[in-house]
Each structure stands twice: as C-alpha cells, then as structure tokens.
Amino acid sequence: MTVGYYLVPSQGAGHTVRIVGYCLASASAAVAVLVGVGCFRPAPRLPWLLLAASQLVYLIAGTALFPPYQAAGAAVGATRFPIFFNAFYLARYPLAVAGLVIFIRRRTPGRDLPGLLDAGTLAVAVAMLSWLGLIGPYVRGGSGRLVDAASLIGYPVMDIALLAVGLRLFLGPGRRSPACFLLMGNLFLIMTADTLYGLQQLGGTYRPGNFLDGMWLVANVTLGAAALHPTMTRLTAPAPAGEQNLGGVRLAVLLTAALAAPVMIMIEYARGVTHDIPVMAMACALMFLLTIARMAGLVCDQRRLAMVDSLTGLYTRRFLEAEMSSGLTRVRRGGGLLGLVIIDVDHFKEINDHHGHPGGDRVLAEIGARLRAATRPGDVLARYGGEEFALLASNVDLSELGALAERLRARVAGSPIALDANTLIFATVSVGACAFPTHVSSQGELVAMADGALYSAKARGRDRVVIAEIPRPTAAPAADGARDAGDAQKVRDPQGAVAESW
C-alpha cells in the first residue's frame, strides 16, 4: 500500500484513492498490533494496546485529508487541516508515551540510573536543536493564529517526549530484540518526518503528498512488523540484571550530544545572533549536570564492584580485610574482642563435577543467603575465596563466637538446596574461628589461626565448628628467635590450634 500510494496519480479521483490507501495503511498497523497481541500473548498486553490505540487515534486524524473536511476547514477560515484533527494528531503521542513507559517499567523493575541519564543527555540536545530550528522561530515569529502556532509547536514538543522515553527503553539493560529495533525505527521515522514537516511549514514549502507521507507510512510498517515479530514478548520481559556497558559507540553519541550546545553557541556567536544564547546556556548547564551525575554513577559502580561479590551479593575479601584492620585498631584502643570465622563448603568439587559450574554457583549463592540470615547486625560477611566465606564479628566474647559459628553451620545444613524443580542437594560447611587478642596479636595471625581451626574441622570429619586454642603462657621467656619460631609453628599446626569442637 505504501508503494501503491505513490503509483496512484495525485490529481482528480486519484487523490481520494490515495487518501483511502493512506488510511488503510494506518489502520493495518493497528490491526497488526492486535493480531500480534493475540498470537504471542505478551504479559502485560496493555503497552501494546496503548500503541494500537495511538495508531487508531492517528487514523481518525488522517480522515482530515478527505475533501469534505478540507472544504469545511477552508469554510471556517482554518489552516489546511482543521484544528479538531490536529488535536487528534497530537493525542496519539501521550498514548504512545504511556505504552513505552510501561515497557520500561517492565524491563527494568528497579532503578536504571545510567540509562535514564544517557537518555536525558540526548533528549536535552535534541530539545535544544528543536528550539533553535523549530520552536524558537515560531515563538519569535508571532504570525498566524495562536491555536495554529500552538499545534505546530506541539509536534516537536511531543516528539521530544517520545524520543526521551524511546531512548530510555533502547538504552536500558538487556539485549535489544528485532522487535525492539523495529519499534525504535517507528519512533525515529515519526520524529524525523515531524521535524521535516515543521521545517517545511516554517519555510512555506510543505505540499501534501510529498516524501514525508512515505516516511509516515513506513513508520506504520515498522510498528506492525514489531508487533508481528515473535520477539515482541521480550519487550515486556524483565531484562537480566547486569552492568551497563558504556561502549565506544554509546560514548561517541553521548560526547556528540554534550558538545552540541557549546558548538551551537559558537555558531550563533559567529553569526551575531544572541537571542537564543540563554536557551543554549541552559542546555549546557543541564548536560553538564547529567554528565557529572553519570560520572558519579560510574564511580559508585566501581566502588560497589570492589566491595560486593557479584555472585553472592556479599562483601569481597578486600573489603573484609580493610574492615579487619579497622576493627583491630578499635579493639587495641577500646578493648573487647574481634572474632574471625572462616567457613568452607564441604566437598564442593563434587558438587561442581556432578551439577556443573552453574549448579555450583547456585549452591554458593544460596549458602551466602543463608549465612547472611544467620549473622548479627553489624557483622561483616564476605566471600573469602572460591567456596570460602568469612565473618568478622565485633564486640563478641568466646562463648558468643562459638554459638555464632555453630548457628552459621546449622543454618547451611538445615535444609536442602534446590538447584532446579527436580534437583535437591544437601550441603554442609566446616567452620574455624578465633578471636583477637585472646588467641593472636596481629591481623596475619588472626587469619592464619582461624584458617588452622578450619582445617582441623575438616580433618575431624567436616560439618563441624572448631574454635582455636587459647595459647598457654610459657614458664620462662625464650629467646626472640625461638619464640617467633614457636608462634609460627602454633599458627601453622591445625591440630595444635584446637581447643573445642561444636
């Protein structure tokens, strides 16, 4: 129908045939959306139904092209298209925006600040260019009736809103499906055609039936194709969690957008035009703030990656060691005890061998969640190694440390772990613990003594807790070299570092 539209003569009866074909093409896009919803049953259906409603409203507005309405508009002294139908043309945009917003909320239930900031940067750049090329000249011109100027200004304003939410959808997390690319093609064609339409109206060169009609018709095709593509269900499926990828193309686009305002200021300055300088300065300020927020987000992401293990959501070994150093300093100044508990998953290699690494990852994530549920407020729980976890407990005495370690062990072994709907496995952990300054005098000794107690728990049959032995005072002081060697031997010998088993 799009090709046939240009094959039919635009004069005489061909004009009416063209209008009928244009309206049928617009209606076919709405029908295609409804067919796609019926065939693929996306959940929810509301965003697609809103896009179909937007297309139907556009179809109603398209009937303004019929000669009777053209004559009615001329009779009342209106512009080429009556105001009533311009209102319908503009009414399609809020419906489309609402549908896209639902897509965004479904794909990213949580916060997606990077995508929001990037979309905002591009939208500000486009809004500034739209003001310079379309909105500003209309506002300053002051020619024609107010309602006509308002309707013409309404198109670029609505296009900016449509672009902002469209970019937010496209720049969000997850892979872009073919249906997503087709839908973005629809938005791009609509905005491009609307922009060219505004420029032609501003310059008095617009003629009905020119190439812009083809762009709007192809936009109908891309909308219908998006709804009929099997991947249309992915637009309402939550995107997998992951880090935003600030790739080269994305960075280049953002850089171009950020430079748009200062470049335009220099161009306008060279031309001697100053009336739009405040608008461009405001755009510069907004994009500067958005860029600073984006940089702050990247810094926070890097800090979070350094502090939090991506698989289990627990703290990293680096963070735990930093907290251990601070905790030792607090204990030396204010007294008390600092306990360290090291937990190792028993026979984890067998879990990986029988259920693969995805199954092993599932076990580690579940064990991490169970350990977190058994910790006290203020304790620091970290993933210490591959299948090792560590807990730093402040303000704890030896009896509490033993009870805490046993609670961690029992929580892991208390119930099976579901790998999938048909596979349940039991996992146990061995636990070793010690405290500063009861057992050791330095951070290195604290880790080594807790690790020695852990290996003693494994040697005694696993699935148990071992607390390090309190060193016995010697009868006579030994030479420095002999004392250092004895301390090192005590730390390295797991059996000699055991006091009790839970």
Side-chain angles (χ1 to χ4, degrees), residues 37 48 64 70 96 128 180 189 202 210 294 296 342 405 437 441 473 480-481:
V37 169
W48 287 106
Q70 295 274 340
M128 181 200 67
C180 182
L189 287 169
L202 187 64
N210 65 7
R294 187 68 163 98
I342 298 182
S441 59
D480 290 344

Side-chain angles (χ1 to χ4, degrees), residues 39-276:
C39 288
F40 303 113
R41 300 185 180 278
R45 303 179 183 182
L46 181 58
W48 287 106
L49 295 179
L50 287 171
L51 292 180
S54 170
Q55 194 65 20
L56 291 175
V57 170
Y58 178 69
L59 172 63
I60 295 173
T63 60
L65 296 168
F66 283 100
Y69 295 113
Q70 295 274 340
V76 297
T79 55
R80 183 177 298 276
F81 301 111
I83 300 169
F84 175 79
F85 294 102
N86 259 327
F88 272 95
Y89 273 123
L90 293 173
R92 70 176 299 198
Y93 293 93
L95 293 171
V97 167
L100 294 175
V101 168
I102 296 176
F103 282 137
I104 294 169
R105 296 304 303 165
R106 293 287 298 186
R107 282 183 61 83
T108 54
R111 295 187 303 170
D112 175 28
L113 187 59
L116 180 62
L117 294 174
D118 291 350
T121 300
L122 296 176
V124 169
V126 172
M128 181 200 67
L129 296 176
S130 183
W131 172 271
L132 295 177
L134 292 174
I135 302 175
Y138 279 131
V139 172
R140 291 190 298 271
S143 58
R145 300 190 312 161
L146 179 61
V147 291
D148 296 333
S151 64
L152 291 174
I153 293 173
Y155 289 110
V157 171
M158 291 295 181
D159 283 328
I160 293 169
L162 197 63
L163 174 72
V165 293
L167 288 172
R168 176 70 173 78
L169 174 65
F170 192 74
L171 296 176
R175 298 184 62 181
R176 257 62 66 184
S177 64
C180 182
F181 281 104
L182 288 167
L183 186 58
M184 288 305 300
N186 168 265
L187 302 180
F188 175 77
L189 287 169
I190 289 175
M191 180 174 178
T192 303
D194 286 353
T195 302
L196 295 175
Y197 168 76
L199 291 173
Q200 290 183 4
Q201 286 280 18
L202 187 64
T205 60
Y206 174 73
R207 296 293 181 270
N210 65 7
F211 69 95
L212 295 182
D213 287 353
M215 296 182 70
W216 283 312
L217 287 169
V218 174
N220 295 332
V221 174
T222 57
L223 174 60
L228 292 174
H229 199 280
T231 59
M232 59 94 76
T233 56
R234 299 183 193 174
L235 284 171
T236 52
E243 299 300 321
Q244 283 284 11
N245 180 23
L246 190 61
V249 175
R250 187 167 181 165
L251 188 60
V253 172
L254 291 173
L255 177 62
T256 302
L259 291 176
V263 168
M264 292 307 301
I265 288 177
M266 295 300 297
I267 292 175
E268 295 293 277
Y269 174 78
R271 295 172 54 200
V273 179
T274 59
H275 45 66
D276 287 325

Side-chain angles (χ1 to χ4, degrees), residues 1-6 8 13-29 55 58-59 62 65-66 213 216-217 220-221:
M1 284 188 289
T2 301
V3 175
Y5 178 84
Y6 286 98
V8 175
H15 177 64
T16 302
V17 173
R18 271 194 169 196
I19 295 173
V20 171
Y22 190 95
C23 291
L24 287 176
S26 301
S28 70
Q55 194 65 20
Y58 178 69
L59 172 63
L65 296 168
F66 283 100
D213 287 353
W216 283 312
L217 287 169
N220 295 332
V221 174

